[in-house]
Amino acid sequence: MSKKNSGKRPGPVVLDVVGKQLDAEDLRRIAHPLTGGVILFARNFESRAQLQALTRAIRAVRDDVLICIDHEGGRVQRCKTDGFTHLPAMHCLGELWERDVLAATKAAVACGYVLAAELRACDIDLSFTPVLDLDYGRSAVIGDRAFHADPRVVSMLAGHLNHGLLLAGMSNCGKHFPGHGYVEADSHVAIPVDERSLDEILEQDARPYEWLGLSLSSVMPAHVIYPKVDPNPAGFSRYWLQDVLRAQLGFEGVIFSDDLSMEGASVVGNVTEAARAALTAGCDMVLICNHPERADQLLTELDVGIDKTSQRRIRKLFARRKPLDWNKLHQEGEYRAALRTLKEHDLIA
């Protein structure tokens, strides 16, 4: 297939692929004009060579789709073998902060740099990181993915991680706005409800989104209902996305929905109704994962396009420099220095 839309005019749908190589159905979905991104999972990774072949195949179909991955470190890291550094859970950086603030900020930059540089060497544009949720000790699904309980520490460490990502040419995605750390339920399999007031959430959980300001490239809202604020989950709430995130906090980047196949999105309706609601509320892009039949339904039924403002935001997320060859990366001074920093603080083996 020839490349299409070389002017980078991505659609609003981010979808996944089934296996380690593209099949005919993957090719058809990626080529669809509503597709704007592809998200990769652990099932799509076997080796670096295979991953590089997969991203090349995606680019051959469309050079204007954003190639994404959930790759945070700790238990949420899709590529862990064949030379990829197994990065620490972000809570480890928070623990280091308690011992040595300057060491923790330096390690956060190093962590971001290694994460992004290795993914960029395989031509991946964006990782959905960092987690900005606060560690209340209540949420098993967030748990050690959170940097810290203090929003000030979360903001400082996430800001330095974002700097490391940027140095390697990668944007970032803060999640899960306005905060998923307080609720015990897992939005993958349940519909979490957070009964706190708007003021309490803004004073604590939403602070990192305000303090990180222009350094945040994109945001993913939580599939959590905050009934004292809005009856809809945050990702389907015009109030949360437009009035709070855009108007009050001044966020100018891309808003991604979380996965529409998760239980937390089911209150809105089927996948098409959920996508329509998310885009109408203010999301720029919507994710549909792990259900090819629902992706097909969405591509067939969705009648909400993407405006020029959203396209302009999305274009800024594409990687900012060409990927380095993997062998050249391992000779690069910055990469080697970042690895030394992480080893020095026992954050990697």
Side-chain angles (χ1 to χ4, degrees), residues 9-10 37 49 57 89 99 104 115 156 168 181 209 275 285 296 310 312 344:
R9 294 185 294 274
R99 303 191 301 271
L115 186 159
M156 290 296 291
Y209 297 90
M285 302 190 90
D296 282 333
S310 288
R312 188 165 58 248
E344 181 183 322

Side-chain angles (χ1 to χ4, degrees), residues 54-275:
L54 178 60
T55 57
R56 278 197 304 273
I58 293 168
R59 300 282 186 211
V61 183
R62 292 274 298 279
D63 66 352
D64 65 335
V65 295
L66 196 71
I67 302 181
C68 315
I69 196 167
D70 255 341
H71 194 89
E72 304 166 6
R75 58 195 160 96
V76 182
Q77 180 169 335
R78 308 309 187 193
C79 312
K80 299 178 182 177
T81 58
D82 199 14
F84 275 92
T85 304
H86 196 174
L87 295 162
M90 295 300 100
H91 185 69
C92 296
L93 294 174
E95 290 177 335
L96 180 57
W97 174 281
E98 295 295 334
R99 303 191 301 271
D100 187 333
V101 169
L102 292 177
T105 56
K106 185 179 178 183
V109 175
C111 202
Y113 190 85
V114 170
L115 186 159
E118 291 180 352
L119 292 177
R120 287 297 305 126
C122 297
D123 202 10
I124 293 171
D125 292 301
L126 177 71
S127 176
F128 290 116
T129 190
V131 169
L132 301 181
D133 301 315
L134 306 187
D135 180 14
Y136 287 96
R138 300 166 61 100
S139 172
V141 72
I142 301 301
D144 65 1
R145 296 165 66 193
F147 288 101
H148 205 272
D150 187 331
R152 296 169 297 182
V153 179
V154 170
S155 300
M156 290 296 291
L157 289 175
H160 282 82
L161 184 100
N162 287 350
H163 184 56
L165 295 172
L166 186 62
L167 288 172
M170 184 175 282
S171 298
N172 61 72
C173 182
K175 60 187 187 184
H176 307 84
F177 176 81
H180 199 312
Y182 191 79
V183 291
E184 293 183 22
D186 177 357
S187 56
H188 290 85
V189 296
I191 302 168
V193 177
D194 188 333
E195 297 283 358
R196 292 177 299 161
S197 69
L198 174 63
D199 287 346
E200 189 173 355
I201 295 165
L202 292 179
E203 280 300 312
Q204 293 294 320
D205 301 60
R207 282 295 198 189
Y209 297 90
E210 177 183 2
W211 289 334
L212 286 167
L214 291 172
S215 75
L216 267 186
S217 313
S218 62
V219 163
M220 181 177 286
H223 283 332
V224 175
I225 297 174
Y226 308 85
K228 292 183 179 173
V229 182
D230 191 289
N232 295 305
F236 307 97
S237 163
R238 187 172 183 86
Y239 181 79
W240 276 117
L241 301 186
Q242 300 286 353
D243 296 0
V244 177
L245 184 59
R246 292 269 189 230
Q248 189 171 335
L249 303 184
F251 178 66
E252 296 286 346
V254 173
I255 302 176
F256 289 95
S257 82
D258 207 342
D259 179 10
L260 297 180
S261 69
M262 288 164 57
E263 185 63 26
S266 66
V267 293
V268 186
N270 66 31
V271 66
T272 308
E273 292 163 339

